[in-house]
């Protein structure tokens, strides 16, 4: 399901909404603490230099600004109207805005699609008015937007009540206004400035993807923070992430609804269609989005990115005044996939000269002595930085920053060292008053109270450095498929037909033959070579094992004949309406690694490729990776390397490496097939597919292709 826009071109008309030069406030209040009063208060307080037109039929003046009884009375061009009226009055106000030629609108009011009942009809009525007038709409049921650079504060968010104009370099785009206001407040409490803020609400028109795309294109927005509950328009979000990737702007996203319970809550809150969580992980992986699980992580990573420094590699140096905390940090670093750098021998010798009883191997334990002699702490940090042995250095000071006798001299000395190494990435774990934290921050440190949060932020910085440093992948040739791979009837496929499709994608079937009688099955087994597998061929029986439709390792011809007779009798008894197209006699494939390969069709993002090890045990192992289709060969190889069990494919303990080149080609080809036939193919499952040793390819032992029923034409 997608949300149509009143304009066909993506992003059309958004400048009038996000960077207006004239604003009307319908329902403007003289009390700045009311929803209708805050936007006017903020616009004046933060210096909006465009025209502002309060609309209030009961007042000649609102907050010192001339007011109008009706938006149609303004008599001047209006880029954006802010509607702070009830749901019932919003439709009438939108009609007046359309007659006045207003180009965009922000609808604060609730009582639309999010409440059910007549709400969806009211929202559709609003959208119809907007479409006919060519007007872009944010909301309804939204908290509005902020463009700090332009002085546009089209919001009633209370977070701006007691702050100065904190423009900053971080942008926040959220589907939840309540969470967005909470996030803003915590940004300001940490001293983080926000360049843009957009809360999309019900997304009757402008959705989170369009908002993110517009914001990503703004020069001052260098770090993008997002909050998602569900997405209606996949193309819109993908376009935004493509823009961010092209401009090398990091995106940190919180996507809720990871659990079945969370998905239900998200759907009821936003009336939106929430895709499977693995699909979002696949999307984020493709576009380098860092997925934050908590608000602290979202802000910690956003703060680190806003300072503009990234590690040159994974080598991490740790300087601690506590040996125990140093060990903790070593664990954190290993868990994060980073590396403890090696201290060079000359540096170790120098550290011993500074503090004779220190432990100079990384993590470097300089003991509490350096807090008594403050110069020693500065000398230690300088010595480590001079070594050039680390891509990032984390310094743990604990509660030293709270001690009045130590805080000032340590802050001064460390600031002096930082000033001599302005390009180096330095993180500081310290408990300190806000004013001293700000001093450390201004000196060049990234400051975190807990060392685990410092390491987590470093991990995210390393992720973005590697992602943006990745060589752009060249799109390979798109495979061509025969037009007759799928039956013209459009009905379900049996296993033999499904394997024909897979063969076109580079996944061959085993040696096998379809027999129409028990005697023919025995003859086929003799030709193929015993032992064999015997399976019913039917487009109507997806789970053959549950009805006795599969027999493995049948050792002689007599047993094959008896197996088919027994299988046929049971199936016709239990499933009398199922079509039986014969019995498949197949070789028993020896060796190789059993895997599962499949395609599902997500209702929002379309075909999604999933690959994992385990074959029939995949649900137990749950070691799978997913990627949005189509998938290139190099992407498929990255998918495989993303498995915990990747070593089993690479060659584990002397076993021959699997034919991963053929597997990558097959994954890519199958993904292109799914995209080419997305209207008719609902799902594909190859389980198990056996990946043979390098050079021998792969074999599909079983396959199911689900065909989407076509609605009858009228």
């Amino acid at each position: 399901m997608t949300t149509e826009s009143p304009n066909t071109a993506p992003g059309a008309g958004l400048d009038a909404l996000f960077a207006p030069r004239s604003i009307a406030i319908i329902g403007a209040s003289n009390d700045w603490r009311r929803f209708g009063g805050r936007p006017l208060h903020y616009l004046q307080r933060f210096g909006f230099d465009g025209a502002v037109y309060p609309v209030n039929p009961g007042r000649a003046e609102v907050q010192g600004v001339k007011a109008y009884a009706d938006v149609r009375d303004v008599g001047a061009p209006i880029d954006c109207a802010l509607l702070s009226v009830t749901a019932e009055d919003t439709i009438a106000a939108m009609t007046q805005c359309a007659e006045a030629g207003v180009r965009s609108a922000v609808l604060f009011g609730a009582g639309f699609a999010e409440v059910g009942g007549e709400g969806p009809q009211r929202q559709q009525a609003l959208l119809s008015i907007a479409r006919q007038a060519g007007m872009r709409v944010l909301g309804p049921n939204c908290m509005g937007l902020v463009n700090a650079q332009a002085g546009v504060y089209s919001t009633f968010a209370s977070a701006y009540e007691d702050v100065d104009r904190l423009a900053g370099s971080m942008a926040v785009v959220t589907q939840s206004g309540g969470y967005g206001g909470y996030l803003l407040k915590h940004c300001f409490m940490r001293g983080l400035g926000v360049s843009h803020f957009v809360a999309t609400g019900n997304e009757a028109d402008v959705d989170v993807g369009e908002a993110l795309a517009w914001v990503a294109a703004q020069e001052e927005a260098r770090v993008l923070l997002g909050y998602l509950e569900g997405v209606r328009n996949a193309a819109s979000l993908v376009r935004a992430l493509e823009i961010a990737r092209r401009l090398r702007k990091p995106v940190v996203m919180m996507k809720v609804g990871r659990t079945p319970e969370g998905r239900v809550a998200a759907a009821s809150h936003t009336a939106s269609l929430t895709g499977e969580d693995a699909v979002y992980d696949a999307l984020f992986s493709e576009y380098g989005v860092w997925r934050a699980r908590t608000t602290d992580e979202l802000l910690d990573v956003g703060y680190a990115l806003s300072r503009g420094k990234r590690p040159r590699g994974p080598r991490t140096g740790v300087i601690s005044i506590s040996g125990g905390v140093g060990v903790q940090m070593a664990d954190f670093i290993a868990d994060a996939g980073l590396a403890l750098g090696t201290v060079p021998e000359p540096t170790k010798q120098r550290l011993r000269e500074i503090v004779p009883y220190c432990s100079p191997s990384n993590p470097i334990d300089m003991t509490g002595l350096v807090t008594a002699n403050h110069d020693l702490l500065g000398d230690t940090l300088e010595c480590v930085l001079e070594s050039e042995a680390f891509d990032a250095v984390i310094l743990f000071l604990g509660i030293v920053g709270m001690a009045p006798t130590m805080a000032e001299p340590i802050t001064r000395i460390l600031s002096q060292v930082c000033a001599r190494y302005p390009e180096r990435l330095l993180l500081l774990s310290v408990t300190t008053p806000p004013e001293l934290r700000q001093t450390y921050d201004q000196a060049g440190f990234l400051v975190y109270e807990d060392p685990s949060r410092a390491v987590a932020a470093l991990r995210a910085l390393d992720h973005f450095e590697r992602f943006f440093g990745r060589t752009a992948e060249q799109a390979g040739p798109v495979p061509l498929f025969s037009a007759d791979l799928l039956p013209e009837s459009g009905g379900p496929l049996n296993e033999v037909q499904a394997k024909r499709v897979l063969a076109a994608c580079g996944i061959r079937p085993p040696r096998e033959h379809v027999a129409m009688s028990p005697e023919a099955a025995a003859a086929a087994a003799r030709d193929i070579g015993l032992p064999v597998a015997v399976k019913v061929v039917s487009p109507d029986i997806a789970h053959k094992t549950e009805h006795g439709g599969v027999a493995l390792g049948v050792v002689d011809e007599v047993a094959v004949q008896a197996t088919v007779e027994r299988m046929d009798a049971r199936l016709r008894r239990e499933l009398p309406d199922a079509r039986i197209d014969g019995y498949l006699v197949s070789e028993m494939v020896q060796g190789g690694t059993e895997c599962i390969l499949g395609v599902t069709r997500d209702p929002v993002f379309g075909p999604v490729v999933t690959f994992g090890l385990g074959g029939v045990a995949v649900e137990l192992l749950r070691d799978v990776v997913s990627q949005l289709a189509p998938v290139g060969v190099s992407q498929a190889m990255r998918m495989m390397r993303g498995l915990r069990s990747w070593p089993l494919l690479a060659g584990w303990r002397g076993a021959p490496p699997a034919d991963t080149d053929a597997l990558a080609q097959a994954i890519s080809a199958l993904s292109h097939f799914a995209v080419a036939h997305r209207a008719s193919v609902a799902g594909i499952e190859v389980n198990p597919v056996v990946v043979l040793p390098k050079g021998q390819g792969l074999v599909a032992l079983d396959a199911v292709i689900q065909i989407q029923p076509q609605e009858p034409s009228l």
Side-chain angles (χ1 to χ4, degrees), residues 187 222 241 327 389 513 551:
C187 284
R222 297 193 295 274
L241 297 180
V327 174
H513 179 77

Side-chain angles (χ1 to χ4, degrees), residues 163-403:
V163 298
D164 294 325
R165 182 174 176 174
L166 293 173
S169 61
M170 294 197 319
V172 175
V173 179
T174 171
Q175 289 182 316
S176 169
Y179 180 76
Y182 171 82
L183 189 61
L184 276 177
K185 189 65 177 178
H186 279 268
C187 284
F188 299 152
M189 289 169 62
R190 292 188 181 207
L192 302 175
V194 174
S195 65
H196 298 81
F197 168 75
V198 184
T200 57
N202 285 12
E203 299 186 352
D205 173 24
V206 176
D207 65 10
V208 68
E210 271 198 293
L212 187 64
W214 190 93
V215 169
Q218 309 310 305
E219 183 178 357
E220 61 271 20
R222 297 193 295 274
V223 179
L224 309 175
L225 306 185
Y227 174 86
L228 288 180
E229 293 176 350
V231 174
R232 292 185 175 94
N233 189 334
S236 173
L237 180 59
V238 168
R239 176 176 174 269
L241 297 180
E242 286 176 342
I243 292 171
R245 179 172 63 180
R246 185 178 72 247
L247 297 176
R248 300 175 65 85
K249 294 188 177 183
V251 179
V252 186
M253 191 78 71
M254 180 182 287
K255 166 64 179 70
V256 298
R258 293 184 295 107
T259 63
E261 293 81 6
R263 286 195 293 273
V264 170
S268 64
H269 180 56
T270 63
S272 65
L273 185 60
T274 305
E276 289 296 323
D277 194 60
V279 178
Y280 285 96
D281 279 339
L283 175 71
F284 295 162
S285 173
E286 182 174 351
Y287 289 98
V289 176
W290 184 264
R291 184 170 185 176
R293 302 287 171 162
T294 65
T295 301
D296 277 339
E297 184 182 1
L298 188 69
L299 291 171
D300 284 350
V301 175
Y303 158 60
L305 289 165
S306 71
R307 294 303 183 258
K309 295 180 184 178
R310 295 183 192 144
R312 298 173 296 180
R315 302 173 305 166
T316 306
V318 174
I319 303 173
S320 176
I321 63 171
S322 162
V325 174
V327 174
Q328 290 182 42
M329 294 174 70
D331 288 342
F332 298 149
I333 289 167
D335 290 342
L338 302 169
L340 276 175
T342 301
V343 182
E345 286 301 324
T347 303
K348 289 182 180 179
Q349 181 58 37
R350 174 65 182 133
L351 291 172
R352 291 190 187 98
E353 292 172 0
I354 295 172
V355 178
Y357 299 107
C358 74
S359 176
S361 296
N362 200 15
I364 301 165
D365 178 12
M366 295 305 290
T367 78
L369 180 62
V370 295
T371 62
N373 186 333
H374 310 127
D375 290 330
L376 297 182
L377 184 59
D379 292 342
T380 298
L381 180 58
E382 183 115 33
C383 176
V384 170
L385 294 177
E386 283 179 349
S387 73
E388 296 284 341
F390 307 107
D391 301 306
V393 175
I394 306 177
L395 176 60
F396 174 77
L397 293 183
I399 62 171
V400 167
M402 297 297 292

